[in-house]
Amino acid sequence: MTSSSNSSNKNCKTECIEIHNRWGDRLNYLAQAMAHRTSYERQQIRETYKAMYGEDLVDRLQKTLLNNYDGNEICNALSLWLLNQHERDALIAKEAFENGETNYKALVEIYTGRKSSHLLLIKQVYHTKYRMQLDQDILNSEPPHSYQKILIALATSHKSHQTEVSPHVAKCDARRLYETGEGRGGAGGIEEGAVLEILSKRSIQQLKLTFATYKRIYGHNYTKSLKKERSGEFEGALRVVIKCMYTPPKYYAEMLHFCIKGTTFDQTALGRIMVSRAEIDMDEIQRVYNKKYAKGLKDAIGDSNSTGIDCKDFFVALAGIRTP
């Protein structure tokens, strides 16, 4: 073992001792210690802690939650941050079906923002840990919603493992979307079947090209055309899905703004988004947020009354992570 490895292991053990001894310090120390750690470093600390104390850090956080500790919000956020990506998404998906009402936006973020290979691993973790099939749970979710149709179509798309992106196919699909939507001359909504067929047969990258082609040909985004029709549940769900897929920084900036303002439609969204996007596109989300709301994301979080002080510090730290 090299000198560098010995030093790294020693530092890791020292960190674990400090975390263990300061657990009662409102978890703020753990939040600050973990915020700027890479995924590899977080897993190394998690493994070392378990080896030293016989307990997984994530399991200990979950026990703290069960004991009705007043830091539930920070426990949830830290649990997600300490998990690897596949475990995290599987847990987010599982929690989406809890509390009596399916959180479809959390599922949309997974199905539109993950590669097919990544989604397969998420489903494997979901099945192994919860003994259930993710796609089947979406299909059986109650009450029925248009999001289900769209998510099942996207699940079918992921299973096809399409890799090539075709400008010709994008042009044909864009024209079909127009002809079965606003091109019908206000004949009442869009043809759901046509949209679902396209979503089920094309990869996410191909769909992104289709929406870009639609804008180039018709001069506006497809989502704008949906507003021109008699907008119902399906059109509303479709707009959310397309925005999350086609312009994710805009989607996440708007979601964060609603959460920071104290909107209660999804109390877990702030933590979910800050943790899941911190190492993906947080820089771009911040740029969009600042431009759209004339305020920096860090300042907005700091001024918010919708989250506790420990979580504020943690989320501000995550917002400072430089993404590729």
Side-chain angles (χ1 to χ4, degrees):
M1 184 178 291
T2 66
S3 162
S4 176
S5 296
N6 283 324
S7 176
S8 176
N9 289 336
K10 183 178 180 180
N11 290 338
C12 194
K13 289 180 179 180
T14 300
E15 192 79 78
C16 289
I17 292 170
E18 191 74 7
I19 290 170
H20 184 76
N21 291 340
R22 297 184 64 175
W23 190 265
D25 189 18
R26 298 187 65 207
L27 299 178
N28 191 53
Y29 179 80
L30 178 58
Q32 294 305 308
M34 294 293 104
H36 294 290
R37 299 286 186 176
T38 65
S39 178
Y40 173 77
E41 290 170 339
R42 297 195 300 273
Q43 296 309 308
Q44 188 178 38
I45 289 174
R46 186 179 167 191
E47 291 170 5
T48 302
Y49 187 92
K50 185 172 184 179
M52 293 176 66
Y53 298 105
E55 186 174 24
D56 191 302
L57 274 173
V58 175
D59 291 339
R60 187 169 185 188
L61 285 165
Q62 293 302 310
K63 287 180 182 178
T64 303
L65 275 171
L66 292 175
N67 291 331
N68 295 317
Y69 180 75
D70 62 3
N72 285 2
E73 190 178 16
I74 189 65
C75 283
N76 274 322
L78 281 169
S79 292
L80 291 178
W81 187 238
L82 286 168
L83 293 170
N84 65 44
Q85 289 185 349
H86 309 135
E87 291 176 311
R88 180 190 305 155
D89 284 339
L91 176 59
I92 289 172
K94 179 65 169 59
E95 291 179 343
F97 298 106
E98 298 174 350
N99 302 318
E101 185 175 349
T102 303
N103 186 342
Y104 285 110
K105 287 185 178 179
L107 297 169
V108 166
E109 290 163 14
I110 292 172
Y111 276 76
T112 61
R114 307 294 184 263
K115 294 179 180 180
S116 296
S117 56
H118 188 140
L119 186 58
L120 179 61
L121 291 172
I122 295 167
K123 291 180 180 180
Q124 289 174 348
V125 172
Y126 190 92
H127 177 63
T128 300
K129 191 166 185 178
Y130 307 115
R131 299 299 177 185
M132 293 181 286
Q133 300 290 342
L134 180 53
D135 290 350
Q136 193 63 40
D137 282 351
I138 293 174
L139 187 62
N140 295 337
S141 183
E142 294 290 345
H145 196 284
S146 294
Y147 275 119
Q148 289 169 287
K149 303 176 186 178
I150 298 172
L151 285 165
I152 293 302
L154 291 174
T156 302
S157 168
H158 277 290
K159 290 175 183 176
S160 67
H161 297 291
Q162 297 167 325
T163 56
E164 295 183 0
V165 176
S166 167
H168 173 70
V169 170
K171 188 174 181 179
C172 292
D173 285 347
R175 285 179 173 171
R176 190 177 182 200
L177 288 174
Y178 178 81
E179 291 167 357
T180 57
E182 62 179 320
R184 299 170 67 197
I190 63 175
E191 292 183 17
E192 293 184 17
V195 174
L196 292 173
E197 182 182 357
I198 290 173
L199 292 178
S200 68
K201 290 183 176 180
R202 311 297 185 224
S203 67
I204 297 298
Q205 289 303 316
Q206 181 67 54
L207 290 169
K208 286 182 179 181
L209 181 58
T210 294
F211 297 129
T213 303
Y214 191 102
K215 183 176 182 179
R216 177 176 58 80
I217 295 175
Y218 301 109
H220 56 260
N221 286 323
Y222 178 60
T223 50
K224 184 177 180 180
S225 76
L226 294 176
K227 293 181 181 180
K228 294 179 181 179
E229 306 301 324
R230 280 184 271 176
S231 183
E233 181 187 87
F234 183 82
E235 287 82 2
L238 186 58
R239 284 201 304 272
V240 171
V241 171
I242 293 174
K243 183 179 291 186
C244 188
M245 180 193 307
Y246 182 50
T247 54
K250 182 179 179 181
Y251 165 86
Y252 287 111
E254 291 178 355
M255 285 284 290
L256 287 172
H257 182 64
F258 288 134
C259 297
I260 290 168
K261 285 180 63 179
T263 303
T264 58
F265 72 95
D266 184 354
Q267 295 179 352
T268 64
L270 180 59
R272 182 182 77 241
I273 294 170
M274 291 302 299
V275 169
S276 64
R277 307 308 293 188
E279 297 170 305
I280 297 177
D281 56 359
M282 187 56 69
D283 288 347
E284 184 59 27
I285 291 171
Q286 289 193 79
R287 282 192 287 271
V288 173
Y289 191 96
N290 190 22
K291 182 177 180 181
K292 188 174 180 66
Y293 303 109
K295 189 170 188 176
L297 180 58
K298 291 182 183 179
D299 291 336
I301 293 172
D303 295 340
S304 172
N305 293 321
S306 62
T307 189
I309 184 64
D310 288 350
C311 263
K312 280 186 182 182
D313 293 342
F314 182 53
F315 293 153
V316 167
L318 292 184
I321 294 176
R322 303 296 297 177
T323 51

Coordinates of all heavy atoms in Angstrom, one line a residue, residues 130-177:
Y130 N -36.6 -3.7 -2.9 CA -38.0 -3.6 -2.5 C -38.9 -4.7 -3.0 O -40.1 -4.7 -2.7 CB -38.6 -2.2 -3.0 CG -37.7 -1.1 -2.6 CD1 -37.0 -0.3 -3.6 CD2 -37.6 -0.7 -1.3 CE1 -36.2 0.8 -3.2 CE2 -36.8 0.3 -0.9 CZ -36.1 1.1 -1.8 OH -35.3 2.1 -1.5
R131 N -38.3 -5.7 -3.7 CA -39.0 -6.9 -4.2 C -40.2 -6.5 -5.1 O -41.3 -7.1 -5.1 CB -39.5 -7.7 -3.1 CG -38.3 -8.2 -2.2 CD -37.4 -9.1 -3.0 NE -36.3 -9.6 -2.2 CZ -35.2 -10.3 -2.7 NH1 -35.2 -10.5 -4.0 NH2 -34.2 -10.6 -1.9
M132 N -40.1 -5.4 -5.9 CA -41.1 -5.0 -6.8 C -40.5 -4.5 -8.1 O -39.3 -4.2 -8.2 CB -41.9 -3.8 -6.1 CG -42.7 -4.2 -4.9 SD -43.7 -2.9 -4.2 CE -42.3 -2.0 -3.4
Q133 N -41.4 -4.4 -9.1 CA -40.9 -4.0 -10.4 C -41.4 -2.5 -10.6 O -42.5 -2.2 -10.5 CB -41.6 -4.8 -11.5 CG -41.2 -6.3 -11.5 CD -39.8 -6.6 -11.8 OE1 -39.1 -5.7 -12.4 NE2 -39.3 -7.8 -11.5
L134 N -40.4 -1.6 -10.9 CA -40.7 -0.2 -11.0 C -41.7 0.1 -12.1 O -42.7 0.9 -11.8 CB -39.4 0.6 -11.3 CG -39.5 2.1 -11.4 CD1 -40.2 2.7 -10.2 CD2 -38.1 2.7 -11.6
D135 N -41.6 -0.4 -13.3 CA -42.5 -0.1 -14.3 C -43.9 -0.6 -13.9 O -44.9 0.1 -14.2 CB -42.1 -0.8 -15.6 CG -40.9 -0.2 -16.3 OD1 -40.5 0.8 -15.8 OD2 -40.3 -0.8 -17.2
Q136 N -44.0 -1.7 -13.3 CA -45.3 -2.3 -12.9 C -46.0 -1.4 -11.8 O -47.2 -1.2 -11.8 CB -45.2 -3.7 -12.3 CG -46.5 -4.4 -12.2 CD -47.2 -4.6 -13.5 OE1 -46.6 -4.9 -14.5 NE2 -48.6 -4.5 -13.5
D137 N -45.1 -0.9 -10.9 CA -45.6 0.0 -9.8 C -46.2 1.3 -10.4 O -47.2 1.8 -10.0 CB -44.5 0.4 -8.8 CG -44.3 -0.8 -7.8 OD1 -45.1 -1.7 -7.8 OD2 -43.3 -0.7 -7.1
I138 N -45.6 1.8 -11.5 CA -46.1 3.0 -12.2 C -47.4 2.6 -12.8 O -48.4 3.4 -12.7 CB -45.1 3.5 -13.2 CG1 -43.8 4.0 -12.6 CG2 -45.7 4.5 -14.1 CD1 -42.7 4.4 -13.6
L139 N -47.5 1.5 -13.5 CA -48.7 1.1 -14.1 C -49.9 0.9 -13.2 O -51.0 1.2 -13.5 CB -48.5 -0.2 -14.9 CG -49.6 -0.7 -15.8 CD1 -49.9 0.3 -16.9 CD2 -49.2 -2.1 -16.4
N140 N -49.6 0.4 -12.0 CA -50.6 0.2 -11.0 C -50.9 1.3 -10.0 O -51.8 1.2 -9.1 CB -50.2 -1.0 -10.1 CG -50.1 -2.3 -10.9 OD1 -50.8 -2.5 -11.9 ND2 -49.3 -3.3 -10.4
S141 N -50.2 2.4 -10.2 CA -50.4 3.6 -9.3 C -51.8 4.1 -9.4 O -52.4 4.2 -10.4 CB -49.4 4.7 -9.7 OG -49.5 5.8 -8.8
E142 N -52.3 4.5 -8.2 CA -53.6 5.1 -8.1 C -53.5 6.5 -7.4 O -52.7 6.7 -6.6 CB -54.5 4.2 -7.2 CG -54.8 2.8 -7.8 CD -55.8 2.9 -9.0 OE1 -56.4 3.9 -9.2 OE2 -55.9 1.9 -9.7
P143 N -54.4 7.4 -7.8 CA -55.4 7.2 -8.9 C -54.8 7.3 -10.3 O -53.7 7.9 -10.4 CB -56.4 8.4 -8.7 CG -55.5 9.5 -8.0 CD -54.5 8.7 -7.2
P144 N -55.4 6.8 -11.3 CA -54.8 6.8 -12.7 C -54.5 8.3 -13.1 O -55.3 9.2 -12.7 CB -55.9 6.2 -13.5 CG -56.7 5.4 -12.6 CD -56.7 6.1 -11.3
H145 N -53.5 8.4 -13.9 CA -53.1 9.8 -14.3 C -52.4 9.7 -15.7 O -51.9 8.6 -16.0 CB -52.2 10.4 -13.3 CG -52.0 11.9 -13.5 ND1 -51.3 12.5 -14.5 CD2 -52.6 13.0 -12.8 CE1 -51.3 13.8 -14.4 NE2 -52.1 14.1 -13.4
S146 N -52.5 10.8 -16.5 CA -51.9 10.8 -17.8 C -50.4 10.6 -17.7 O -49.7 10.1 -18.7 CB -52.2 12.1 -18.5 OG -53.6 12.2 -18.8
Y147 N -49.8 11.0 -16.6 CA -48.3 10.7 -16.4 C -48.0 9.2 -16.6 O -46.9 8.9 -17.1 CB -47.9 11.2 -15.0 CG -47.5 12.6 -14.9 CD1 -48.2 13.5 -14.0 CD2 -46.5 13.2 -15.7 CE1 -47.9 14.8 -13.9 CE2 -46.2 14.5 -15.5 CZ -46.9 15.4 -14.7 OH -46.6 16.7 -14.5
Q148 N -48.9 8.4 -16.1 CA -48.6 6.9 -16.3 C -48.4 6.5 -17.7 O -47.5 5.8 -18.0 CB -49.8 6.2 -15.6 CG -49.9 6.2 -14.1 CD -51.2 5.7 -13.6 OE1 -52.2 6.3 -13.8 NE2 -51.1 4.5 -13.0
K149 N -49.3 7.0 -18.6 CA -49.2 6.6 -20.0 C -47.9 7.1 -20.6 O -47.2 6.4 -21.3 CB -50.3 7.3 -20.8 CG -51.7 7.0 -20.4 CD -52.7 7.8 -21.2 CE -54.2 7.7 -20.7 NZ -55.1 8.5 -21.5
I150 N -47.5 8.3 -20.2 CA -46.2 8.9 -20.7 C -45.0 8.1 -20.2 O -44.1 7.8 -20.9 CB -46.1 10.4 -20.4 CG1 -47.3 11.1 -21.1 CG2 -44.8 10.9 -20.9 CD1 -47.4 12.6 -20.7
L151 N -45.0 7.8 -18.9 CA -43.9 7.1 -18.3 C -43.8 5.7 -18.8 O -42.6 5.2 -19.0 CB -44.1 7.1 -16.8 CG -43.8 8.4 -16.0 CD1 -44.3 8.4 -14.6 CD2 -42.3 8.7 -16.0
I152 N -44.9 5.0 -19.0 CA -44.8 3.7 -19.6 C -44.3 3.7 -21.0 O -43.5 2.9 -21.4 CB -46.2 3.0 -19.5 CG1 -46.6 2.7 -18.1 CG2 -46.2 1.7 -20.3 CD1 -45.6 1.9 -17.3
A153 N -44.6 4.8 -21.8 CA -44.1 4.9 -23.1 C -42.6 5.1 -23.1 O -41.8 4.5 -23.9 CB -44.8 6.1 -23.8
L154 N -42.1 6.0 -22.1 CA -40.7 6.2 -22.0 C -40.0 5.0 -21.5 O -38.8 4.7 -22.0 CB -40.5 7.3 -21.0 CG -40.9 8.7 -21.5 CD1 -40.7 9.8 -20.3 CD2 -40.1 9.2 -22.7
A155 N -40.6 4.2 -20.7 CA -40.0 2.9 -20.3 C -39.8 2.0 -21.4 O -38.8 1.3 -21.5 CB -40.9 2.2 -19.2
T156 N -40.8 1.9 -22.3 CA -40.7 1.1 -23.5 C -39.5 1.6 -24.4 O -38.7 0.8 -25.0 CB -42.0 1.1 -24.3 OG1 -43.0 0.7 -23.5 CG2 -41.9 0.3 -25.6
S157 N -39.4 2.9 -24.5 CA -38.3 3.5 -25.3 C -36.9 3.1 -24.7 O -36.0 2.7 -25.5 CB -38.4 5.0 -25.3 OG -37.3 5.7 -25.8
H158 N -36.8 3.2 -23.4 CA -35.5 2.8 -22.8 C -35.1 1.4 -23.1 O -34.0 1.0 -23.2 CB -35.6 3.1 -21.3 CG -35.3 4.5 -20.9 ND1 -34.0 5.1 -21.0 CD2 -36.1 5.4 -20.4 CE1 -34.1 6.3 -20.6 NE2 -35.3 6.6 -20.2
K159 N -36.1 0.5 -23.1 CA -35.9 -0.9 -23.4 C -35.4 -1.2 -24.8 O -34.8 -2.3 -25.0 CB -37.1 -1.7 -23.1 CG -37.5 -1.8 -21.6 CD -38.9 -2.5 -21.4 CE -39.3 -2.5 -20.0 NZ -40.7 -3.1 -19.8
S160 N -35.6 -0.3 -25.7 CA -35.2 -0.5 -27.1 C -33.7 -0.3 -27.3 O -33.2 -0.7 -28.3 CB -36.0 0.4 -28.0 OG -35.7 1.7 -27.8
H161 N -33.1 0.4 -26.4 CA -31.7 0.7 -26.4 C -31.2 1.3 -27.7 O -30.2 1.0 -28.3 CB -30.9 -0.6 -26.2 CG -31.1 -1.3 -24.9 ND1 -30.6 -0.7 -23.7 CD2 -31.7 -2.4 -24.5 CE1 -31.0 -1.5 -22.7 NE2 -31.7 -2.5 -23.1
Q162 N -32.0 2.2 -28.2 CA -31.6 3.0 -29.4 C -30.4 3.8 -29.2 O -30.3 4.5 -28.1 CB -32.8 3.8 -29.9 CG -34.0 3.0 -30.3 CD -35.3 3.8 -30.5 OE1 -35.4 4.8 -29.8 NE2 -36.1 3.4 -31.4
T163 N -29.5 3.9 -30.1 CA -28.3 4.7 -29.9 C -28.1 5.7 -31.0 O -27.6 6.8 -30.7 CB -27.0 3.8 -29.9 OG1 -27.0 3.0 -31.1 CG2 -27.1 2.8 -28.7
E164 N -28.4 5.4 -32.2 CA -28.2 6.4 -33.3 C -29.3 7.4 -33.3 O -30.5 7.2 -33.0 CB -28.3 5.6 -34.7 CG -27.1 4.6 -34.8 CD -27.1 4.0 -36.2 OE1 -28.0 4.3 -37.0 OE2 -26.3 3.2 -36.5
V165 N -28.9 8.7 -33.7 CA -29.8 9.8 -33.7 C -29.9 10.2 -35.2 O -28.9 10.4 -35.9 CB -29.3 11.0 -32.9 CG1 -30.2 12.2 -33.0 CG2 -29.2 10.6 -31.4
S166 N -31.1 10.3 -35.7 CA -31.4 10.6 -37.1 C -32.1 11.9 -37.3 O -33.2 12.1 -36.9 CB -32.2 9.5 -37.7 OG -32.7 9.8 -39.0
P167 N -31.5 12.9 -38.0 CA -32.2 14.1 -38.4 C -33.4 13.9 -39.2 O -34.4 14.6 -39.1 CB -31.1 14.9 -39.1 CG -29.8 14.4 -38.6 CD -30.1 12.9 -38.4
H168 N -33.4 12.9 -40.1 CA -34.5 12.6 -40.9 C -35.7 12.1 -40.1 O -36.8 12.6 -40.3 CB -34.2 11.5 -41.9 CG -35.3 11.0 -42.8 ND1 -36.0 11.8 -43.7 CD2 -36.0 9.9 -42.7 CE1 -37.0 11.2 -44.2 NE2 -37.0 10.0 -43.7
V169 N -35.5 11.2 -39.1 CA -36.5 10.7 -38.3 C -37.1 11.9 -37.4 O -38.3 12.0 -37.2 CB -36.0 9.6 -37.3 CG1 -37.0 9.3 -36.2 CG2 -35.7 8.4 -38.2
A170 N -36.2 12.8 -36.9 CA -36.6 13.9 -36.1 C -37.5 14.8 -36.9 O -38.5 15.3 -36.4 CB -35.4 14.7 -35.7
K171 N -37.2 15.0 -38.2 CA -38.0 15.9 -39.1 C -39.4 15.3 -39.3 O -40.4 15.9 -39.2 CB -37.3 16.1 -40.4 CG -38.0 17.1 -41.3 CD -37.2 17.4 -42.5 CE -37.8 18.4 -43.4 NZ -37.0 18.7 -44.7
C172 N -39.4 14.0 -39.5 CA -40.7 13.3 -39.7 C -41.5 13.3 -38.5 O -42.8 13.5 -38.5 CB -40.4 11.8 -40.2 SG -39.7 11.6 -41.8
D173 N -40.9 13.0 -37.3 CA -41.6 13.0 -36.1 C -42.2 14.4 -35.7 O -43.3 14.6 -35.2 CB -40.8 12.5 -34.9 CG -40.6 11.0 -35.0 OD1 -41.3 10.4 -35.7 OD2 -39.7 10.5 -34.3
A174 N -41.4 15.5 -36.0 CA -41.8 16.8 -35.8 C -43.0 17.2 -36.6 O -44.0 17.8 -36.1 CB -40.7 17.8 -36.1
R175 N -43.0 16.8 -37.8 CA -44.2 17.0 -38.7 C -45.4 16.2 -38.2 O -46.5 16.8 -38.3 CB -43.8 16.6 -40.1 CG -42.9 17.6 -40.8 CD -42.6 17.2 -42.2 NE -41.8 18.2 -43.0 CZ -41.3 18.0 -44.1 NH1 -41.4 16.9 -44.8 NH2 -40.6 19.0 -44.7
R176 N -45.2 15.0 -37.7 CA -46.3 14.2 -37.2 C -46.9 14.9 -36.0 O -48.1 14.9 -35.8 CB -45.9 12.8 -37.0 CG -47.1 11.9 -36.7 CD -46.7 10.5 -36.4 NE -47.8 9.6 -36.2 CZ -47.8 8.5 -35.6 NH1 -46.6 8.0 -35.2 NH2 -48.9 7.8 -35.4
L177 N -46.0 15.4 -35.1 CA -46.5 16.1 -33.9 C -47.3 17.3 -34.3 O -48.4 17.6 -33.7 CB -45.3 16.5 -33.0 CG -44.6 15.4 -32.3 CD1 -43.4 15.9 -31.6 CD2 -45.5 14.6 -31.3

